[in-house]
Amino acid sequence: MSSGNDCRPQTFTKPAFGEKEVTELVDRVFGLKVSWIRPLPSYDDQNFHVHVSRKEAAEGADEYVLKITNSEDSQEPDLIEVQTQAMMFLSAEGFPSATPFLTKDGNIMSLESGGTGPGNKKYMVRLLTYLPGIPVAKIATNAQIFYDIGQLAARLDKALSEKFHHPSLKSLHRGQFIWNLANVPLLDQYIYALGQNKYREVVEQVIEQFKGRVIPKLSSFRACINHGDLNDHNILVDCSSVSLENPQYRVSGILDFSDMSYGYYVFEVAIAIMYMMIESPDPLGVGGHVLAGFESVLPLTEEERGALFLLVSGRFSQSLVIAAHTALLYPENKEYLMITAKTGWKQLMKMFEVGQEAVEQTWFETAKAYGTSAPA
């Protein structure tokens, strides 16, 4: 859900390539003959599911995702390089991550002009392996998948932070990146998009509490590399049981690394909790299961646990405010942009109605019941 690399999400141009143009591009840049393509939903990039003829496909693969990055992020090749290399690293480490199909020149990406957007914009293009599976957003979720996603979030950040090396890692220090959880205070300049209502009052409350109670404690949190967007559409699962009454799922794919940045371990678990709340009939109960999975790998400290409520609230606020702002600029993409808003406002309002103490008690007691480690 990236919206540019700084606090100006309105500066990006979303690509607008036609299917015929994409078919020609895949042939010219990657040397593959397209048999069919279909567009995939996206926040500010443009994605296509690409099927190539079997004899053209490398190593038996015949399905890919063509990712055309928005004009703003396309100006940061080092950042896209690091994100793509991180995906390759994670795949090699056994995570279900996509890997790039190389261009005819042997590169992982290519800068291309095209589409119907304004001016002669250039867009970074990559062809990634297609990962099978169902988005978490489309299944009946349960405690087991929430626990597994929490565990995955911790394992993923731990692997990236401890074992991933690249000469351009510094590009992940994205100081003013609107989607980094540390930057909740930057929402001040976009909150106008909400109008004047009870929702805006709650978001203003989140921002002020965040400034006073989270920002001063950031230096006490453990730093790491965050995926930054483990949402219900970026995690794919497949069914690992034959029981129709009680299906068991396992994670089969991790998508979209465009929000990667340096952050803190507690950010990742807060982001995962927030998006899993969207998918549950018992949203306030979700956090404990995700937290238990996360803490089975990385127990949080007392300071990190104490910030969790405001971090989850902060991510709700980011998602809801930036979606409202972006929908004003791109009304044709409003349906996709406002996916989280359908239930997100209800969940955020409920959190504040119940109160931090009661919500935390639910989360921490649920996590404790799993028998995971006490806070580090």
Side-chain angles (χ1 to χ4, degrees), residues 41-77:
S42 175
Y43 201 87
D44 55 14
D45 300 325
Q46 194 178 18
N47 300 327
F48 290 90
H49 184 183
V50 178
H51 198 285
V52 303
S53 55
R54 173 69 71 172
K55 66 178 188 299
E56 298 283 346
E59 298 175 9
D62 56 3
E63 291 183 81
Y64 299 91
V65 172
L66 184 76
K67 191 167 187 70
I68 308 172
T69 300
N70 70 77
S71 61
E72 181 77 8
D73 288 353
S74 290
Q75 296 173 40
E76 308 244 7

Side-chain angles (χ1 to χ4, degrees), residues 319-332:
S319 181
L320 295 163
V321 171
I322 296 303
H325 168 80
T326 311
L328 291 178
L329 299 173
Y330 298 92
E332 72 281 359

Side-chain angles (χ1 to χ4, degrees), residues 70-92:
N70 70 77
S71 61
E72 181 77 8
D73 288 353
S74 290
Q75 296 173 40
E76 308 244 7
D78 284 355
L79 180 62
I80 299 174
E81 164 87 19
V82 168
Q83 292 165 352
T84 312
Q85 293 288 349
M87 292 159 64
M88 296 165 70
F89 160 80
L90 289 168
S91 178

Side-chain angles (χ1 to χ4, degrees), residues 318-354:
Q318 285 179 316
S319 181
L320 295 163
V321 171
I322 296 303
H325 168 80
T326 311
L328 291 178
L329 299 173
Y330 298 92
E332 72 281 359
N333 200 29
K334 184 174 181 178
E335 184 178 354
Y336 181 75
L337 292 168
M338 302 302 281
I339 285 173
T340 300
K342 287 177 183 173
T343 51
W345 282 117
K346 188 167 66 176
Q347 321 293 35
L348 179 59
M349 302 300 277
K350 184 72 172 175
M351 284 180 70
F352 271 74
E353 180 188 319
V354 173

Side-chain angles (χ1 to χ4, degrees), residues 3-50:
S3 289
N5 286 336
D6 54 22
C7 59
R8 304 188 307 278
Q10 69 271 29
T11 58
F12 73 84
T13 298
K14 181 167 178 167
F17 284 67
E19 293 188 10
K20 184 172 185 290
E21 198 174 7
V22 167
T23 298
E24 292 168 352
L25 185 152
V26 171
D27 187 6
R28 175 170 52 82
V29 177
F30 299 97
L32 295 176
K33 302 291 184 201
V34 173
S35 54
W36 56 257
I37 63 172
R38 65 178 176 87
L40 296 169
S42 175
Y43 201 87
D44 55 14
D45 300 325
Q46 194 178 18
N47 300 327
F48 290 90
H49 184 183
V50 178

Side-chain angles (χ1 to χ4, degrees), residues 87-106:
M87 292 159 64
M88 296 165 70
F89 160 80
L90 289 168
S91 178
E93 289 285 310
F95 290 86
S97 172
T99 54
F101 183 88
L102 298 184
T103 69
K104 289 198 283 192
D105 298 331

